[in-house]
Amino acid sequence: MRIAVVRETREGETRVALVPDLVPALVAAGHDVLVEPGAGRGALHADEEYAAAGAALDERAVEEADLVLAVQPIDVATARRLRRGAATVSFLAPGQELALVADLRDIGVTAYAMELVPRISRAQSMDALSSQSLVSGYRCAVVCAGLLRRFFPLNMTAAGTVPPAQVVVLGAGVAGLQAIATARRLGAVVKAYDVRAAAAEEIRSMGAQAIELDLPTLDGAGGYAREMSEERSALQRELLAPYVAAADGLITTAAVPGRTAPVLVTAAMVEAMRPGSVVVDLAADSGGNVEGSVPGEVVRLGRAQVWGGRNVPAQMPGPASRLYAQNVVSLVQLLTADGTLEPDLDDEVLDACCVTHDGVVRHAPTRELLEGVR
């Protein structure tokens, strides 16, 4: 099978879908790996590294491929270069990329969306949402420490004692737990909150204090939180307000793929923070957990700086690409048998993440959206 690795074309995307270290795994399985020249440049991987690992550099890799690997959804022009019967693996955001999904359907391309891989035990090695959230959580804590104009750790000196920074993390999924762990390693005192029942114990296991509000938990499917009513959301913000006001740094990480992020913190709550405080909103790209945050920008609300995350994993393309590439290789191994593309679409993992196949949109929510559009 011929596997193509494309150059990412979306603004700000520095990751690559396959790193040189993992090329030999695909070659050993009998595949030909074709890499568009410059595909790894943003992640600091030179063309020569791919060639040395056993890949062929090929500007026409997409046209020749049986399977195309990407990070972001390929653009429509690239999709139209694919041959009928080819397949793609990438993040796809099908609900926002309806024109692309329709093209892939009409061309007869099978498209697998990495964000739709189910969160079950046997699919952990393919869980790109978790691997990229790990990178994002680390990055958020480092950004918070960098913007905050004071020490994170306690310092006791002959000149006096400097108390540690107080950091609050809202959301304790993969990103939130990594933000907690990193802030703790840097020496901050960390408190955290999540609406899910199991989160409090996970927060404590990272050495942080769990914020406990007198509110019912909201556990949903797939390890995510259920949507909350506006009344419950308002009460939660009211109860969190004192914790936010007392924080030197606030990191918010609550996001669910394909949905608008919940507003956890109002502008008024930020304006009540102390001078020099820092707010890091990881969910700014999907609407924002913090009212007034702007993706890719640092804005001032009251006396605090608010950093809005924009494609945060791409800000650390080396580790993000390495982890994503391993997720992709694991999925490719599930898709293939004896060196050929032979997906079993009755398999629960492939059934969940296959968006288009054989001229049909298989992902029901996307199909319903398309039928409403056309």
Side-chain angles (χ1 to χ4, degrees):
M1 185 171 68
R2 291 162 297 183
I3 300 176
V5 181
V6 301
R7 280 189 307 270
E8 298 296 324
T9 58
R10 304 228 172 177
E11 182 182 358
E13 185 53 72
T14 57
R15 291 170 290 176
V16 64
L18 185 69
V19 296
D21 284 354
L22 292 177
V23 169
L26 295 178
V27 172
H31 307 303
D32 294 327
V33 179
L34 312 176
V35 178
E36 288 188 337
R41 188 176 298 126
L44 304 180
H45 292 300
D47 290 344
E48 293 77 12
E49 293 179 67
Y50 285 100
L57 299 169
D58 189 343
E59 196 65 60
R60 298 185 65 254
V62 169
E63 289 97 324
E64 299 171 2
D66 302 300
L67 177 64
V68 173
L69 309 182
V71 179
Q72 295 286 352
I74 59 174
D75 57 38
V76 170
T78 301
R80 291 175 180 172
R81 292 162 56 201
L82 294 168
R83 63 172 185 78
R84 180 168 290 274
T88 65
V89 170
S90 69
F91 285 117
L92 191 54
Q96 290 80 50
E97 299 283 348
L98 295 178
L100 173 61
V101 171
D103 263 13
L104 293 169
R105 174 199 62 197
D106 296 343
I107 295 166
V109 169
T110 301
Y112 299 95
M114 292 300 289
E115 67 267 46
L116 296 180
V117 170
R119 284 185 156 173
I120 58 176
S121 296
R122 61 179 287 257
Q124 285 181 345
S125 64
M126 310 166 212
D127 186 356
L129 285 178
S130 290
S131 74
Q132 301 308 285
S133 293
L134 184 77
V135 177
S136 296
Y138 174 85
R139 176 67 177 156
C140 282
V142 171
V143 166
C144 186
L147 289 175
L148 191 63
R149 297 298 182 244
R150 58 165 297 166
F151 293 142
F152 255 41
L154 169 71
N155 279 270
M156 302 178 69
T157 75
T161 298
V162 180
Q166 304 289 317
V167 173
V168 169
V169 177
L170 300 182
V174 175
L177 291 173
Q178 181 63 19
I180 292 167
T182 304
R184 286 272 300 140
R185 290 188 198 106
L186 292 171
V189 173
V190 183
K191 299 176 182 177
Y193 174 73
D194 193 286
V195 299
R196 295 169 299 119
E201 188 57 40
E202 293 171 343
I203 289 166
R204 294 189 192 98
S205 74
M206 307 304 292
Q209 177 186 332
I211 296 172
E212 299 192 18
L213 307 180
D214 189 17
L215 293 171
T217 56
L218 295 173
D219 293 275
Y224 294 107
R226 286 188 288 113
E227 286 192 75
M228 67 181 82
S229 67
E230 183 49 44
E231 180 182 4
R232 203 259 191 211
S233 182
L235 180 56
Q236 178 178 291
R237 289 193 291 265
E238 180 183 336
L239 295 174
L240 285 172
Y243 295 97
V244 171
D248 299 301
L250 172 67
I251 299 171
T252 64
T253 68
V256 179
R259 299 213 314 247
T260 302
V263 177
L264 306 180
V265 179
T266 63
M269 292 167 71
V270 175
E271 288 166 358
M273 296 176 76
R274 293 191 289 258
S277 300
V278 170
V279 177
V280 173
D281 185 359
L282 176 60
D285 253 350
S286 56
N289 295 147
V290 180
E291 184 182 23
S293 69
V294 179
E297 295 185 20
V298 178
V299 298
R300 183 167 290 279
L301 289 180
R303 298 167 294 180
Q305 294 183 83
V306 180
W307 183 89
R310 183 176 185 181
N311 195 0
V312 177
Q315 297 176 21
M316 301 192 70
S321 297
R322 179 63 177 78
L323 293 168
Y324 178 75
Q326 185 59 68
N327 299 142
V328 167
V329 168
S330 296
L331 184 60
V332 170
Q333 290 168 342
L334 185 61
L335 287 169
T336 56
D338 299 323
T340 61
L341 194 61
E342 294 185 11
D344 174 10
L345 295 182
D346 290 328
D347 181 285
E348 61 182 325
V349 175
L350 299 183
D351 178 57
C353 69
C354 182
V355 177
T356 63
H357 177 68
D358 198 22
V360 174
V361 177
R362 298 182 78 258
H363 185 241
T366 304
R367 185 172 62 249
E368 291 164 7
L369 286 172
L370 271 171
E371 289 169 353
V373 170
R374 299 193 173 194

